[in-house]
Every structure is written in C-alpha cells, then in structure tokens.
Amino acid sequence: MPPKGKAATKPKATETTTTSNPTTTNTTSQTASQPSEPTTVLERSQQRFEKTRPFEAARRQQGLSRLSKEDQKGWICDQLLHLTNRLPAASRSCLLGPKASKEIWWTVNGTNSIVRGLKHKPEPYTTWGTDRNGHDVGSYTIERFDERFRKRIALTALQVSSRVFRENVEREKRGFVDARSGREIIVTEREIDEEKVRRSKMAALKKDLYGAITGKLAESVEWEDVVPIPHEEPEGALAAITYPAEYAEAMSYLRAVMTTKEYSPRCLRLTEHIIAMNPAHYTVWLYRAANIFALDLSIPDEIEWLNEVALANLKNYQIWHHRHLLVEHYYPTISSDPDALAQFAKQERDFLIAILSEDTKNYHVWSYRSWLVGKLGMWEDEEELKSIEKMIDEDVRNNSAWSHRFVLVFSNPKYATPGKAATEKDEKVPQELVDREVKYAQNKVYLAPQNQSPWNYMRGVLVKGGQPLASVQGFVEEFVNKLGEGEEEEEVKSTHALDLLAEIYAEKKENEKADLCLRRLAEKWDKIRGGYWEWRRKCLTQSETEKAPGEQVEKAEEGIAAA
Amino acid sequence: MTQSFTSLPQELQLTTSAHVKYIQSLDSRKDEYDYWLTEHLRLNGLYWGLTALHLLGHPEALPRAETIDFVLSCQHENGGFGAAPGHDAHMLSTVSAVQILAMVDAFDDLETRGRGKAQVGKYIASLQNRQTGTFAGDEWGEEDTRFLYGAFNALSLLGLLHLVDVDKAVDHIAACANFDGGYGVSPGAESHSGQIFTCVAALTIAGRKELIDVDRLGRWLSERQIAGGGLNGRPEKKEDVCYSWWVLSSLEMIGKTHWIDKEKLTSFILSSQDTDKGGISDRPGDMVDVWHTCFGIAGLSLLDYPGLEPVDEVYCMPKSTIKRVLGR
C-alpha cells in the first residue's frame, strides 16, 4: 500500500543521499541542460519520456551495469512502479509484501520518480502509425497533429450519430415504439438526408486520415442492409484477375442480391450501374431481365433504355438476347391486338433501321430481325420489304440484307411448305413470285456484276421455284463474251456469271461448252479457286448415270491436286 | 500432299518461340484493362492458349498442375464450369474445361477431385431443349448452334453423347440450312462461316454428314477466299485469320480443302504474326490476341505447315489427344 505522501510530484530538494535525477549520465543527455522546444510530436513525447522516466531513459542510454548503485535502485523501483500500477488494486498488494512495498515507496519518494510517466518509449511509426501517404504521424508538427486529432474526434462523433440512425432504421423495421413518446419509430426523410450528408463526410474523413476509400455502395443508405460478397480468388490462380475498385464493389453487391434472389428497384439500378462499366458480363443481363419480369415493369420503356445501350455497344450480343427475352415476354400481351402488334413492329423496325445504319452488317441485329419477322408475322409487311430494298439500294453488297430478303419472302407460310429444306424445290411457291425475285436480283447484278450476293440469291430462288437454271441463260450471257476466242478477245464481267453459265451448259448437257467455261475460270478468271473448277470439270466427264459425289470423285480430285 | 514452303520469303516463317512466350505471358497481364473486361472468357482463353501451345509442340509451356487446379476451381456443384472462379456455369466454359482436361490427360482428376464426368455430362444434357433439340448456353436459354456443337464436342469426349437427343439436335441443324448452302446461328439467319463450322462439326460427330449439300456448301466456302489470300466470314466482308480455321476445317470435314489456294492462305496467316512479341492478329498490322493466335496456328496445322502437330478438324484439338481419348 503506497504511503499517503504519494501525491508528491514535486521533488524533495533537501534529500541528500539520492538526487532527483540519475547521476551517471552522459553529457549528451538532456538532463544536463534544458531540452529545446520539440518540433514534432515524436520529439515532444520523447522529451516527456526522458522527463518522466529518467531512470529508464538513462538505462537505455548507458546500460544497467554502468548506472550508479542509487540509480540502479531507482530504476528497479521505477520498473516495479510501472508494473504494479497497471495491476488492479487488489492484486497489487499481493505482489510484494508490506515491508518491500514500504521500502519501494520510500525510495520512490526519495528519487521523486514520477508515478504517471510514459510507459513506453515513443518510437517512429509504431506509436502513432502512418497516415494515408505512409508517413509517420509522429513526424507531424504539434499543430498538424492536433488538427489530425480533431478530425478523428469529428469522425468518431459522426460515427456515433450514424450508429443512432442505423439503430433507428432497425427499430423502425421491427415496429418498435419510442419509450418516451409512445409512438412508433419512424425514420423521416430529413433524417435520411442528414445521414447521407453524414456518410459522405465520414467517407471524406476516412479517406483523409487513413486513405481508406469507401465505396459508393458501402456508403449509401440504400444498401445498408446488404452484406456484399467479395470475389473469391484461389491463391496463386493461373489466370488471376484484378479489378478496378468500383467495379469490384458493384459486383460484390450483385453477388449478394443474386444469392438472396432479391428483385427490386435498387437491384435494377445496380444492374444498370454494372452494365455501364462492363456490358459484356452476361450474368448481369440475365439478372436484369429477371428483375424486369418480377417487378412487372413496362417492356417498351425497357426497350427504349436498351436502344441507347445498343447504340453505344454495337458489338455486344447480350443486348440482343436481352431484347429477345423482352419481346418473348411482351408478345402475349399484344398478340390479340393487331394495332398494338403493328405499332410494336413499326417501333422495332424504326430502331433496327437506326442501328443498322451504324453497322450495316451486324450479325446479331440481323439474326434478331429475321427472328422478329417470324415472331410478329411480318411477311406481308410492305414497310419491312421496302426497308430491305432501301438497304440494298444503299449497299448492293450487303449480304445480310439479301439473306433477310430471302427469309422475308420465302418463309412466308403462304408460300412455304413446312419441313422443306432451304435448297429444296417447293411447289407452293407461285411462279409470279419466282419471276419477281429473279428480276429483282438481276437488276441488282447490273449494279455490280462481281458482287456475289444477288447471284447466290437468284440461284437460290430458281432452285426453290424448281425452275431450270437455263431459264436465265440470256441474262447470264450478257456478262460473258467471246469465251475461248483468245486472251485479247475474251470478256468476262463476272466470274459468277461464268460459273452459272457452266452450270447451265451442264444442265443442258452441252458439256464441251461447260468445260470451256470452267477451264477459263481455273486458268485465268478465278485462279485462286482452281481446285474447285477442276473438280467441276471432272464432274462433267462422269457419265450421265453416275452421280458425281462419292469416293471415286474425291480420290480423283486428290489425284489432281497432288499433281 | 506436299506444299512448297520454300517458296515463301525468308521473313515469312512461323516464329514459334515468340508465340510460346506470348501465350505464357498472358496470365501475368492482370494490370491490363482489357484483362478484367474479358474475365467472362478466362477459361476459354486458357483453352485457346493451350491448344496453340500443343500444336506448336510445346504442351509443357503452361504448368499442368496449376492448369488442372484452375479448371477445377471453376466447377460448380451442378457439374458445369464457369468462365472464371465465381462465375456462373455456362456451356462454353464447360466445353473449354473438358477440352483442356482432355489435352492434359486429366479426366482422372475430374473424377477424384472434381465433380466427375457423369455430373458434367448431366449439366450439358440439361441445357438441351427437348422440344426443339437446340442447346442453350445456360439456364436462361440463349440458343445458338455454337452451344449445340459445344455439347456434342464435350459429350463425345466424355463418352456421354447418349445423354442427349442427337436426332432432334440434328433436325435443328438441318433447319438452320440456308438457300446458299450455308448455315446460320438459328433458322433463317444469314450463313456465317463460324456457324457453318459448328453445324458441320456437330453433324460429323453425330455421323450425319449426308445431310450436307456438300457441293453448294463447298462452293460457298471456297468463295470466302479473297484476293489477298485470307478468308472472310461472309460475302463482301473483310478477311480474318480466325476464319482460316472455321472455313478451312469445314472444308476439311467435307473433303474440299483443295478448293482454295493453300499457299496464299498460309502467307496471309504468317503475315498476321507479331514476329517480335509473339501472337497472331486478325489481319496483318493489327493487335494480336490469343483467340487469333489459336486459330491461326490451327489453320496452319491444317495446311500441313512443317513443325506443327496435326490438328483434329472437328474438335480443334491435337489429333494425338483425340486418338488417346476416342481411340481413333
């Protein structure tokens, strides 16, 4: 039990055997003269340490063995003091017997050790830690340190208020009643606004003090109740992935709500947020669709939003699958209303025209368009046909437009026998249609005779209509002149014409003429496909009764090719 | 069939070691923006890289154990694989996973440490629409002939093709045939070289090649070669190295590769290399990526370029792997 005179922090100057300070000190120690004003917090604390723990300071400087006997005793008392002071009062008395305690306190009083001294010697970095730039806070000036301290207090105060808010939110959820007013707890708009302000202040302070970046979602009141699921990456992954912080945060919240299968406006907003950062992530699209359907939101509105995203991400195909899902979902609500159907078809077409003007051959858009024709039954829609014709007018080489025309015209249930193969003749196709389409293709051939699309188209139409290729011989011959009459004389405006001409001759059994066409193609007009033209020539020499494809021909081909 | 590769200029040779280094460097580019934007392709990327390495004769260039670990870490309880750990299971990544494991001979690991072949087969089979025969990519049902081919590819490697209705699927492919002899992504869609590959390869696996109008299709495919020697995907579009695979393997499957000029195509592919840093791009002068590297090398292998391992035209994997797994 320390004697009552413990309060003495003032030195008892008259004692002689012991002095208030250790005697054995280096000249470099601060006790020789008054210490200079500390400039940093570290210095200040170091000085305090020297002052309040002179024996410990001395021991650190010189080592215990070099201190004088009195100083050593003083040091031991100092140690015991600091050890026992940390113990609870009750166990303190057990540590040392009454006699030893008395002696310690007699020595302590004699040496005027300061009871309340700094326990640990202040060290750079470890005592106060580092700031957001990695600098030792101990190196701060006193003013700067005080300022930091004030900020920390401010942050703590905000955190306390925030905690009150969160508790009120929780209480409101559970229908608690306020003890004093007797009314149910309600969190008002104003309180929410205040909390939002508070949160941004907290985020700013945390960033300032510790460099901690609080994600927008983590900071928001709206996402308060959700525990985000961070991305788990196995240690030393072979194909490891790092993410920008905002994307990583958004994904961790997405995982959380997808796990709980939440469908709500905030989830919808979250999907939009993620899509803006990475529109290629297909899961987020699927989850967005689920939200749209679960919340029964307006499909036309969603499509309007989607249009903007599509225009900004032309190569993205998830967008088109999303649209597909939306239309599938929407269709039953308008299928019995012809006006609504027509209007929807028009809206879709208007957008398709707009987006195709940016990327005329976009495969996903065209696939969607072909599908839409079937879904909405647009075969008789004159506007659709006109629109395709316009695209071909603008670019006769747009194979996608040609392909779409074929679908539009020939998959019409009026003319198409179900189950017929694409390259199979179909009796249902009326002659007028065949004539019209052949004429159309021919007109377009004139614009660019070497363009493959209308030639493929014309041939496809003839096959579908079961019309002999020879029926267009006159047209084809317009593009081939003086074949075989010499290098100078020969004129071939289109290799496709020459190809078709060969087929026509073969059809009519005029094999010699067919062979000439093919030979000239291989020799001069389309050398790069020489292997193909030679095969065609070989087919000609097969007898009428033998069907061309088969191992014989293939072996023969390989023989030719190896030569 | 011999090709006179000596007729190619000195500088137009395959720079194998550069490509190997390029592929090896891919998983260390975590700080590149593009890297995380394509995380939904991570497992597929591994398949492309590994295939290229195998064909280049350097299968050991990616560590086998880590490869297996990574692949298995992408697997879900339902047996399917996601594109990266934590990503939902999807057909495409599942197929890549099976192909990778086949190449590194790790089906045993799949049994002991993964969910087992049967579970994978079950997952794939669950994605078939039994009414139409088509396959979806995942539970959300985007349907595409790529998924059909993927399903056939993976299931046949696992020996589980019988789990799905092959005939119905074949009917669906037939419905995707177009007037020009080609195939599209779905019935009525424009003929496209990539889709043609998937349809023809699927029919080959199913043993139903007789449904193909070989002459028309071969003709259409031969027209893909443009003056520069490269192949495009559709009429009047730009040439692209990846079509060296889609078009060429399709021609191989129908026995018509001699319908294009092979030497010109070889030149085109080799001109699209980055001979310093490695990798192949879509056409000369553009940025390289692992996708084009894989298909460029696969194309060269089909063209019998010397020093490359033979590639299987149906599976786009080394013939030696297919021989080991399927015994043919």
Side-chain angles (χ1 to χ4, degrees):
Chain A
M1 221 41 170
K4 286 203 173 90
K6 180 190 169 226
T9 47
K10 304 187 286 268
K12 279 196 186 153
T14 50
E15 295 292 327
T16 50
T17 49
T18 53
T19 52
S20 54
N21 286 305
T23 48
T24 45
T25 54
N26 274 335
T27 44
T28 50
S29 90
Q30 297 94 310
T31 52
S33 54
Q34 273 294 91
S36 53
E37 275 301 303
T39 51
T40 70
V41 170
L42 181 66
E43 273 172 31
R44 181 174 67 174
S45 289
Q46 279 172 338
Q47 286 179 14
R48 284 177 181 165
F49 185 79
E50 305 277 343
K51 241 176 154 173
T52 60
R53 305 281 302 281
F55 295 107
E56 174 62 13
R59 179 200 71 84
R60 280 173 186 251
Q61 263 184 352
Q62 299 153 52
L64 195 57
S65 47
R66 281 208 218 107
L67 297 180
S68 68
K69 272 275 179 303
E70 284 76 25
D71 287 349
Q72 283 179 348
K73 213 169 165 190
W75 179 80
I76 291 168
C77 294
D78 176 72
Q79 286 297 296
L80 282 170
L81 237 186
H82 281 274
L83 285 170
T84 58
N85 266 351
R86 292 301 186 270
L87 294 174
S91 34
R92 227 179 277 166
S93 52
C94 303
L95 192 65
L96 307 153
K99 190 161 184 240
S101 293
K102 243 183 170 170
E103 189 172 334
I104 287 173
W105 283 107
W106 188 83
T107 312
V108 162
N109 281 333
T111 61
N112 293 300
S113 286
I114 296 166
V115 174
R116 288 201 200 90
L118 288 183
K119 179 156 188 179
H120 296 293
K121 181 165 197 254
E123 298 284 354
Y125 293 100
T126 41
T127 306
W128 295 276
T130 53
D131 66 13
R132 74 169 195 264
N133 296 316
H135 299 144
D136 174 29
V137 172
S139 67
Y140 280 19
T141 60
I142 314 290
E143 297 83 52
R144 198 173 165 205
F145 182 83
D146 287 347
E147 195 199 318
R148 184 179 176 85
F149 193 66
R150 277 194 295 278
K151 283 181 188 169
R152 288 180 64 189
I153 291 177
L155 178 60
T156 307
L158 289 170
Q159 283 170 330
V160 168
S161 300
S162 184
R163 187 149 30 107
V164 170
F165 172 83
R166 283 172 225 243
E167 283 175 3
N168 278 338
V169 168
E170 195 56 40
R171 286 201 198 106
E172 183 190 43
K173 232 192 233 171
R174 299 190 193 189
F176 278 24
V177 165
D178 182 69
R180 274 177 291 175
S181 67
R183 286 197 290 275
E184 275 192 12
I185 293 185
I186 300 171
V187 176
T188 64
E189 275 296 315
R190 177 152 161 221
E191 283 168 350
I192 292 175
D193 289 339
E194 280 171 9
E195 176 67 11
K196 283 185 181 163
V197 171
R198 204 176 291 131
R199 297 255 177 127
S200 58
K201 280 188 189 162
M202 280 161 59
L205 279 168
K206 277 194 204 158
K207 183 154 186 226
D208 185 19
L209 290 168
Y210 312 118
I213 298 180
T214 317
K216 288 209 199 81
L217 293 169
E219 185 182 300
S220 73
V221 176
E222 192 183 31
W223 289 96
E224 187 56 52
D225 58 310
V226 174
V227 178
I229 302 176
H231 183 86
E232 282 293 321
E233 190 85 38
E235 273 298 307
L238 187 72
I241 299 159
T242 54
Y243 309 84
E246 196 178 346
Y247 180 72
E249 198 204 14
M251 287 305 301
S252 63
Y253 275 86
L254 183 73
R255 263 175 231 114
V257 293
M258 283 185 75
T259 309
T260 58
K261 291 199 174 26
E262 180 187 327
Y263 302 118
S264 64
R266 73 176 176 183
C267 291
L268 194 72
R269 275 195 296 277
L270 182 61
T271 62
E272 188 174 341
H273 180 52
I274 294 173
I275 283 166
M277 288 187 282
N278 186 10
H281 197 292
Y282 71 87
T283 310
V284 71
W285 281 105
L286 305 177
Y287 182 62
R288 184 177 174 89
N291 270 278
I292 302 274
F293 301 150
L295 300 173
D296 201 18
L297 299 176
S298 152
I299 302 290
D301 285 352
E302 172 68 1
I303 288 182
E304 231 185 275
W305 172 83
L306 190 65
N307 289 348
E308 294 308 311
V309 183
L311 285 167
N313 295 281
L314 291 171
K315 291 300 169 198
N316 179 302
Y317 73 83
Q318 280 91 7
I319 289 173
W320 294 94
H321 179 60
H322 186 68
R323 203 182 188 99
H324 184 115
L325 288 177
L326 293 173
V327 174
E328 287 279 17
H329 190 90
Y330 184 56
Y331 180 74
T333 65
I334 56 169
S335 58
S336 47
D337 181 350
D339 287 336
L341 264 178
Q343 203 208 2
F344 183 65
K346 179 177 187 317
Q347 278 172 336
E348 282 302 283
R349 177 171 35 258
D350 286 344
F351 178 69
L352 289 169
I353 290 170
I355 197 164
L356 283 172
S357 69
E358 304 278 331
D359 188 6
T360 58
K361 300 181 185 179
N362 188 312
Y363 193 76
H364 311 303
V365 180
W366 281 110
S367 306
Y368 172 80
R369 195 168 185 172
S370 301
W371 172 78
L372 198 66
V373 166
K375 185 76 192 175
L376 302 182
M378 291 156 74
W379 305 282
E380 306 282 293
D381 193 329
E382 274 195 29
E383 290 302 320
E384 181 69 8
L385 190 63
K386 261 199 228 158
S387 161
I388 300 304
E389 286 181 355
K390 185 154 183 283
M391 288 205 75
I392 289 178
D393 286 342
E394 284 166 6
D395 179 11
V396 73
R397 291 181 175 82
N398 190 333
N399 193 65
S400 310
W402 281 100
S403 184
H404 188 77
R405 188 188 174 97
F406 199 92
V407 168
L408 190 58
V409 173
F410 292 101
S411 64
N412 189 333
K414 263 172 48 182
Y415 314 126
T417 308
K420 277 277 184 191
T423 49
E424 231 186 310
K425 170 183 166 176
D426 193 343
E427 284 80 14
K428 243 178 146 180
V429 178
Q431 189 58 44
E432 312 86 65
L433 196 61
V434 175
D435 292 342
R436 183 190 86 181
E437 292 303 299
V438 167
K439 196 89 197 120
Y440 179 80
Q442 286 178 344
N443 284 336
K444 299 306 176 193
V445 166
Y446 288 122
L447 299 176
Q450 193 52 31
N451 175 23
Q452 199 189 4
S453 303
W455 288 102
N456 278 348
Y457 190 84
M458 184 173 68
R459 212 188 165 284
V461 171
L462 290 170
V463 168
K464 204 106 303 290
Q467 199 164 298
L469 300 176
S471 61
V472 297
Q473 182 171 353
F475 167 76
V476 176
E477 281 172 337
E478 290 178 44
F479 299 90
V480 178
N481 227 353
K482 302 202 201 276
L483 200 65
E485 294 178 33
E487 288 284 333
E488 307 291 306
E489 302 294 321
E490 232 177 40
E491 220 183 24
V492 172
K493 294 196 203 120
S494 169
T495 58
H496 306 300
L498 199 46
D499 174 17
L500 189 51
L501 194 55
E503 254 190 296
I504 289 170
Y505 286 138
E507 195 183 66
K508 291 164 73 177
K509 307 278 188 279
E510 296 176 36
N511 284 359
E512 259 183 50
K513 287 184 177 168
D515 188 72
L516 174 62
C517 296
L518 297 168
R519 182 165 58 80
R520 292 307 292 152
L521 278 164
E523 284 171 355
K524 176 175 175 162
W525 295 103
D526 194 20
K527 291 205 307 222
I528 208 168
R529 269 162 280 279
Y532 175 65
W533 305 121
E534 293 301 331
W535 175 81
R536 287 271 295 273
R537 291 180 73 193
K538 205 64 187 152
C539 287
L540 290 173
T541 63
Q542 300 291 315
S543 75
E544 232 178 312
T545 52
E546 271 181 49
K547 237 0 206 140
E551 279 186 44
Q552 276 175 313
V553 181
E554 301 217 10
K555 287 216 175 84
E557 287 171 58
E558 286 182 23
I560 295 167
Chain B
M1 241 176 291
T2 50
Q3 291 290 310
S4 54
F5 290 104
T6 48
S7 64
L8 292 169
Q10 237 350 69
E11 62 271 15
L12 217 56
Q13 302 292 320
L14 184 65
T15 51
T16 302
S17 53
H19 298 317
V20 171
K21 287 211 190 72
Y22 167 73
I23 294 168
Q24 285 176 316
S25 76
L26 286 169
D27 74 302
S28 62
R29 294 175 171 210
K30 305 161 215 163
D31 54 342
E32 280 177 26
Y33 191 65
D34 246 6
Y35 199 82
W36 67 264
L37 268 186
T38 55
E39 70 160 335
H40 57 286
L41 297 172
R42 197 59 64 228
L43 196 52
N44 304 312
L46 187 55
Y47 156 72
W48 298 323
L50 194 63
T51 304
L53 288 174
H54 274 250
L55 296 177
L56 288 166
H58 287 271
E60 77 299 338
L62 281 181
R64 181 176 179 273
E66 272 110 311
T67 301
I68 299 172
D69 288 345
F70 178 75
V71 171
L72 293 177
S73 75
C74 297
Q75 193 172 28
H76 288 253
E77 265 193 54
N78 60 12
F81 291 79
H87 275 233
D88 289 342
H90 193 273
M91 173 73 85
L92 293 179
S93 22
T94 303
V95 174
S96 290
V98 171
Q99 290 178 298
I100 294 168
L101 293 175
M103 278 193 276
V104 301
D105 198 1
F107 278 166
D108 289 339
D109 293 66
L110 180 58
E111 288 302 317
T112 54
R113 292 164 49 200
R115 306 273 170 189
K117 286 153 71 167
Q119 191 70 353
V120 179
K122 198 162 156 215
Y123 169 75
I124 296 175
S126 74
L127 292 171
Q128 183 175 34
N129 178 330
R130 297 285 164 155
Q131 263 88 39
T132 60
T134 66
F135 282 80
D138 53 28
E139 68 216 353
W140 295 84
E142 177 198 351
E143 289 171 356
D144 187 326
T145 50
R146 287 181 301 154
F147 306 143
L148 199 161
Y149 160 68
F152 278 20
N153 180 318
L155 286 173
S156 59
L157 288 175
L158 294 169
L160 296 171
L161 196 54
H162 57 271
L163 289 181
V164 296
D165 189 342
V166 174
D167 290 336
K168 261 255 151 66
V170 166
D171 288 343
H172 176 78
I173 295 175
C176 292
N178 290 322
F179 66 94
D180 52 12
Y183 294 85
V185 65
S186 46
E190 186 187 359
S191 299
H192 184 284
S193 299
Q195 305 302 147
I196 287 170
F197 166 78
T198 61
C199 291
V200 173
L203 287 174
T204 306
I205 295 174
R208 300 294 302 277
K209 272 203 279 200
E210 81 281 357
L211 291 173
I212 303 172
D213 188 338
V214 169
D215 297 348
R216 275 257 66 76
L217 178 60
R219 169 82 176 101
W220 190 94
L221 288 169
S222 75
E223 279 287 333
R224 293 310 105 238
Q225 188 164 36
I226 65 177
L231 308 175
N232 62 18
R234 300 178 264 166
E236 299 295 327
K237 293 224 80 189
K238 277 202 202 151
E239 65 219 320
D240 186 323
V241 160
C242 66
Y243 294 116
S244 316
W245 172 257
W246 310 124
V247 172
L248 198 59
S249 56
S250 301
L251 284 168
E252 180 78 31
M253 284 187 269
I254 58 176
K256 306 291 188 199
T257 52
H258 52 285
W259 284 7
I260 60 156
D261 186 322
K262 295 191 189 183
E263 211 176 285
K264 282 199 162 173
L265 179 59
T266 304
S267 259
F268 173 74
I269 301 174
L270 292 173
S271 312
S272 306
Q273 297 177 96
D274 181 337
T275 49
D276 292 318
K277 302 208 197 89
I280 300 178
S281 65
D282 57 356
R283 59 187 73 89
D286 281 354
M287 282 294 297
V288 305
D289 60 55
V290 67
W291 157 278
H292 289 97
T293 305
C294 170
F295 295 117
I297 289 170
L300 287 172
S301 172
L302 269 183
L303 292 164
D304 295 321
Y305 190 87
L308 292 177
E309 288 296 306
V311 68
D312 183 292
E313 66 275 14
V314 176
Y315 289 90
C316 193
M317 292 161 67
K319 268 198 162 45
S320 54
T321 302
I322 301 305
K323 186 143 186 246
R324 176 175 26 89
V325 176
L326 296 181
R328 60 164 185 85

